[in-house]
């Protein structure tokens, strides 16, 4: 808690094995106490697609201002962790900032990546599978698609720089050359 409140970032990855009943209760209690985000179990994806906040995609700054979410071509979901946001007024939780949805299901707009400030730091809960395996048991084949690396890169960059974008920042493609 002190590290996050002091300006650090915490990335919590939730997958098929982290929502098993025995683990889920402890994980959900811990995450809720820290961020106000609760893991409520497993949701059936029913082949839903994924759409991400334009800031995580590779669509360019000018388009990001007009298109809040961008659907990903390719990956679908067979399941995901259900994330629930604690809706208590922020005056009851003064150290917590507003929650931002960075990825969600299409259709349905169920949150898949939530980000929340805690004092000077930030916490992100990720219900997207970050492994490559059997889509039926591992919820998705997202890691096999070319869109996976830019999404993870954007999320990590956001967590490492405190979520602030600077106007003169070098384009992502150029930094990787």
């Amino acid at each position: 808690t002190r590290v996050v409140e002091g300006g650090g970032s915490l990335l919590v990855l939730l997958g098929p094995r982290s929502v098993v009943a025995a683990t889920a209760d402890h994980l959900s209690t811990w995450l809720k106490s820290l961020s106000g985000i609760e893991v409520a179990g497993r949701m059936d994806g029913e082949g839903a697609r994924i759409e991400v906040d334009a800031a995580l995609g590779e669509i360019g700054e000018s388009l990001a201002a007009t298109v809040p979410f961008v659907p990903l071509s390719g990956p679908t979901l067979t399941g995901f962790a259900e994330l629930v946001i604690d809706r208590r007024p922020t005056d009851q939780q003064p150290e917590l900032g507003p929650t931002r949805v960075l990825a969600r299901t299409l259709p349905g707009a169920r949150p898949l990546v939530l980000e929340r400030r805690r004092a000077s730091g930030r916490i992100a809960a990720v219900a997207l599978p970050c492994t490559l395996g059997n889509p039926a048991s591992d919820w998705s084949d997202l890691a096999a698609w070319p869109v996976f690396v830019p999404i993870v890169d954007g999320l990590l960059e956001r967590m490492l720089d405190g979520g602030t974008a600077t106007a003169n920042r070098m384009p992502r493609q150029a930094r990787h050359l």
Side-chain angles (χ1 to χ4, degrees), residues 18-152:
S18 59
V19 295
V20 174
T23 306
D25 291 341
H26 297 297
L27 176 65
S28 186
T29 301
W30 170 77
L31 186 60
K32 186 176 180 181
S33 72
L34 189 63
S35 67
I37 299 169
E38 182 179 359
V39 181
R42 180 194 188 280
M43 292 290 295
D44 187 3
E46 299 177 350
R49 293 182 53 210
I50 302 166
E51 59 181 1
V52 298
D53 183 299
L56 294 182
E58 295 269 348
I59 67 169
E61 298 294 324
S62 60
L63 189 56
T66 59
V67 180
F69 282 89
V70 179
L72 301 181
S73 59
T76 59
L77 297 168
T78 58
F80 56 94
E82 181 181 14
L83 300 177
V84 178
I85 304 165
D86 186 349
R87 299 284 184 193
R88 286 185 289 168
T90 53
D91 62 342
Q92 294 178 19
Q93 305 170 343
E95 72 281 359
L96 294 178
T99 304
R100 182 168 178 187
V101 177
L102 297 177
R104 63 189 186 185
T105 63
L106 178 68
R110 303 291 303 193
L112 296 170
V113 178
L114 292 175
E115 175 190 63
R116 193 165 207 185
R117 279 208 161 290
R118 180 178 178 107
S120 297
R122 72 180 55 246
I123 300 160
V126 180
L128 287 170
C130 295
T131 59
L132 183 58
N134 178 354
S137 63
D138 291 338
W139 295 353
S140 175
D141 60 350
L142 173 63
W145 290 87
V147 295
F148 179 71
V149 173
I151 290 170
V152 172

